[in-house]
Amino acid sequence: MQLLKLASVTAITLYSLYAYPCFGQVSGPSLKTAFQQDFLIGTALNGRQISERNEKETQLIIREYNAITPENVMKSGPIHPEPNLFNFEASDRYVAFGVKHGMYIVGHTLIWHSQLPSYVQHIRNADSLSHFMKGHIETVAGRYAGKIKSWDVLNEALEEDGSLRKSIFLQLLGEDYIAKAFEWAAQADPGAELYYNDYGIERPEKRKGAIKLIKSLQAKGLRIDGVGIQGHWGLNGNNLYDIENSIIEFSRLGIKVAFTELDISVLPHPSGVTTADISQNYAQDPKMNPYREGLPQAIQMAQAKRYEDIFKIFIKHKEKISRVTFWGAHDGQSWLNGWPIKNRTNYPLLHDRDLMPKPAYTSILNLKTK
Ligand code: G3I
């Protein structure tokens, strides 16, 4: 047994020397240093990363990123599971991680139609739902006042055509729920920036709906500091014009623009349309999971070019952009391995499953260092 243990320690040590010379001292500029004059560079953190379970992952995260977003631990279901019960253990650990490592700490998300606690899903009267909303926002945003720098106050309140999503909030409270969410968030944490966050709002039709929502808040004298364009995109590069126009048009409202959940899927989407509606799921099909054995070099390079083209636009408009956050630190953690089809092997992020930088990482870094 001792011999086996010695062999495994040796193997890990040799890997460390290969992957991270001098035990984790990766040489060269990191993403956060390369873009330090432009915008924050962030990543979403899952529960294991928040708990620093894997030293190599922790080293990668603190080396490359200066902003963090909780992938799941601050959603209303996990954090407010019963009417009079809040579960702050994981969210406190998340904020503590950010404070410990000097990160810009993002809160995600106060009001979202998805991941609601089951008791909320069964509410049928307006007063009860309003009571939940107010108590949730005051308690959660109030708890982290002074530590969380920016809240995704409201997430995904729009349909694909830009109309308001017919969520339980709209059905019971009418569109005024949106103003109430931002009013209560501003009262609970006057120091945090307040964002509206959504996917697909780079597309003109849905973008118009987001602009209307933002202008409506501003017309009521309510504070909204920024808009989060999630950025769940694919290899198809036909949206660069829309991405640039959305930065320009949102910025004209006098608010900041953040790209809050960036990833580039390399797998086919069953419906053909790239969206991020978490409620979508499709049956498993081998044709939809073509890279189980690994990602071909040609696809690696296509993804690298796609990220490079997107970041050229970000750099061009860097004064309008507050933050670019990737929806994960490496391919192995990505939600896209399980959506919209379960158990696929996707490669959407900048580091691979062995925590090694991919050509996409190098292509972005080269924009600032070459
Ligand atoms: O924690 C439970 C675990 O206890 C349980 O055993 C397991 C079995 O179902 O579920 C676990 O919760 C899962 C959670 O991720 C944590 O892993 C949920 O089922 C699963 O639905 C949830 O998926 C997350 C999804 O949002 C829905 O909340 C993804 O990880 C997360 O990447 C994704 O992120 C969203 C953003 O918040 C908003 N924008 C779209 C983006 C992608 O959908």
Side-chain angles (χ1 to χ4, degrees), residues 175-204:
E175 63 182 83
D176 194 46
Y177 88 91
I178 296 171
K180 285 296 179 195
F182 278 85
E183 178 188 335
W184 292 331
Q187 288 165 355
D189 187 354
E193 294 196 328
L194 307 179
Y195 276 67
Y196 173 68
N197 189 55
D198 208 337
Y199 60 85
I201 53 175
E202 72 283 354
R203 291 198 293 270

Side-chain angles (χ1 to χ4, degrees), residues 30-234:
S30 64
L31 290 169
K32 70 181 181 184
T33 50
F35 287 93
Q36 62 190 338
Q37 302 302 321
D38 303 324
F39 33 72
L40 293 165
I41 294 278
T43 181
L45 297 184
N46 61 28
R48 283 175 41 81
Q49 291 163 337
I50 291 166
S51 302
E52 302 194 42
R53 292 277 179 80
N54 177 315
E55 180 56 19
K56 283 214 174 330
E57 263 186 285
T58 304
Q59 288 304 317
L60 187 160
I61 290 162
I62 63 180
R63 177 181 193 276
E64 300 293 346
Y65 301 103
N66 48 23
I68 53 173
T69 299
E71 189 173 10
N72 290 298
V73 299
M74 282 191 158
K75 291 167 180 174
S76 60
I79 206 169
H80 192 177
E82 299 298 336
N84 300 311
L85 173 67
F86 287 88
N87 176 2
F88 289 125
E89 193 210 341
S91 51
D92 284 356
R93 221 176 15 251
Y94 161 75
V95 172
F97 179 103
V99 171
K100 174 181 173 185
H101 297 296
M103 297 280 189
Y104 180 93
I105 306 171
V106 175
H108 174 81
T109 174
L110 290 172
I111 298 298
W112 187 24
H113 66 281
S114 183
Q115 309 306 296
L116 285 168
S118 56
Y119 70 92
V120 175
Q121 296 171 37
H122 295 102
I123 290 175
R124 289 293 175 268
N125 84 48
D127 288 348
S128 302
L129 188 59
S130 184
H131 178 76
F132 159 76
M133 268 186 72
K134 191 168 192 290
H136 183 75
I137 292 170
E138 286 175 347
T139 308
V140 177
R143 182 182 184 86
Y144 299 113
K147 291 181 179 168
I148 281 184
K149 300 300 180 197
S150 166
W151 271 107
D152 291 343
V153 174
L154 177 59
N155 190 51
E156 302 172 12
L158 298 171
E159 302 287 2
E160 292 312 294
D161 65 1
S163 64
L164 291 179
R165 184 186 292 271
K166 295 164 191 62
S167 68
I168 185 171
F169 298 106
L170 184 72
Q171 290 172 43
L172 288 182
L173 301 174
E175 63 182 83
D176 194 46
Y177 88 91
I178 296 171
K180 285 296 179 195
F182 278 85
E183 178 188 335
W184 292 331
Q187 288 165 355
D189 187 354
E193 294 196 328
L194 307 179
Y195 276 67
Y196 173 68
N197 189 55
D198 208 337
Y199 60 85
I201 53 175
E202 72 283 354
R203 291 198 293 270
E205 194 177 23
K206 194 169 183 181
R207 186 197 315 156
K208 281 195 185 75
I211 289 172
K212 183 180 174 192
L213 184 153
I214 293 161
K215 282 185 168 179
S216 161
L217 289 168
Q218 293 174 328
K220 292 169 183 161
L222 292 165
R223 178 162 66 86
I224 176 166
D225 302 293
V227 63
I229 304 171
Q230 291 183 6
H232 294 297
W233 293 322

Side-chain angles (χ1 to χ4, degrees), residues 340-355:
I341 301 175
K342 293 198 181 316
N343 303 320
R344 292 206 294 179
T345 308
N346 211 325
Y347 305 79
L349 297 164
L350 299 185
H351 287 78
D352 66 21
R353 286 165 169 77
D354 296 322
L355 310 184

Side-chain angles (χ1 to χ4, degrees), residues 27 55 311 330 370:
S27 59
E55 180 56 19
F311 264 73
H330 61 84
K370 290 288 179 217

